[in-house]
Amino acid sequence: MKHDDEPHTLTGAYALDALTGQEREAFAAHLEHCSACTQEVRGFHATAARLAAGVALAPPPGMKAAVLHGVGAVRQLPPEVTVARSPARRLRLLTRKAGPWAVAASVAAAATLGGVALWQGRQAEQARQQAQRATARSHDVSSVLTAPDARITHGRTGNGAATTVVASAARDRAVFLAAGLPPAGPGRTYQLWFADHGVMRPAGLLAGDGAVLMHGAVGRAGAVGLTLEPAGGSPQPTGNPLLLLGLPT
């Protein structure tokens, strides 16, 4: 291992899976008897995982446009109170002055504006619900990454991507992180799996790089798998796994 006199300087490189061969093996052996480095590596892992989670949980598509539409329907100040004629009287005056065609146009305009306001309200509500779901997913991921019993393991897929699995026995959940995944391609998607004694259990789809909370409980699964499947996923793997990574114990 390089820098034999100062192995403590390699904690960051080890946490980011940047050490290879003899360097990684030597530093892993160093960790067995150095509690300070072990704690520092755990901190680096948690930080890297949080950064990946921030990339994975981008705002939902269309959220900005929906919010901007909805803002127009939100009243910021109380309405001005004026003394106005009754609706029936206004309608009679309008009829006398502008004729029935103008009245019909006004009614149609009012109906149109009412429909636009209703649509804007629905769009704003959908954006709010999407933001709530994104926040909940981020909280779920963070709860696993920061669990006191979190265990971490690293691996590489058959197509060269770096991966990390963080599992918590207390929460019975696992988070999968990936960096450098090539695009799945048209009509294809990456799919995660729990390996239960040779039986592959679907654990959600992976859009690309970032962090994702795997679907379902870890249970007695001994490994995590990653395959390339038809769009929408499959009940069982349709090809050889790109990755089969043993869960940390």
Side-chain angles (χ1 to χ4, degrees):
M1 178 171 62
K2 298 178 181 179
H3 311 295
D4 289 332
D5 55 335
E6 296 184 6
H8 310 284
T9 62
L10 299 178
T11 53
Y14 180 82
L16 296 176
D17 202 22
L19 299 181
T20 58
Q22 294 181 349
E23 281 187 328
R24 182 174 181 82
E25 293 177 3
F27 190 79
H30 170 73
L31 285 180
E32 294 179 0
H33 56 78
C34 182
S35 59
C37 283
T38 300
Q39 185 64 28
E40 190 169 347
V41 167
R42 182 183 295 275
F44 278 127
H45 276 314
T47 300
R50 288 191 182 95
L51 291 174
V55 174
L57 299 173
M63 179 176 177
K64 179 179 178 181
V67 171
L68 291 177
H69 278 299
V71 165
V74 177
R75 187 174 64 220
Q76 301 298 321
L77 297 173
E80 296 181 1
V81 178
T82 58
V83 178
R85 300 182 179 91
S86 67
R89 186 178 179 187
R90 288 202 304 271
L91 183 59
R92 287 196 299 270
L93 289 174
L94 183 61
T95 303
R96 286 200 299 269
K97 292 181 179 181
W101 291 110
V103 175
S106 298
V107 172
T112 300
L113 290 174
V116 170
L118 179 62
W119 178 82
Q120 289 177 337
R122 288 175 177 172
Q123 290 293 102
E125 176 62 18
Q126 290 176 0
R128 184 185 66 82
Q129 293 177 356
Q130 289 174 342
Q132 287 180 337
R133 288 193 292 268
T135 300
R137 288 195 298 270
S138 178
H139 178 270
D140 291 341
V141 169
S142 296
S143 69
V144 175
L145 300 181
T146 59
D149 68 333
R151 296 293 182 266
I152 302 169
T153 188
H154 303 282
R156 286 195 176 274
T157 65
N159 52 10
T163 64
T164 298
V165 173
V166 183
S168 167
R171 289 169 172 75
D172 202 19
R173 303 302 299 271
V175 170
F176 186 89
L177 304 98
L181 271 176
R188 307 285 285 173
T189 187
Y190 288 105
Q191 186 165 355
L192 293 165
W193 307 85
F194 282 121
D196 293 326
H197 304 288
V199 178
M200 302 298 282
R201 171 163 49 96
L205 304 180
L206 186 65
D209 288 351
V212 61
L213 182 72
M214 297 183 66
H215 292 187
V218 175
R220 300 180 64 185
V224 165
L226 180 69
T227 61
L228 195 57
E229 302 294 337
S234 304
Q236 294 293 329
T238 59
N240 294 327
L242 299 172
L243 173 76
L244 192 60
L245 186 62
L247 281 171
T249 56

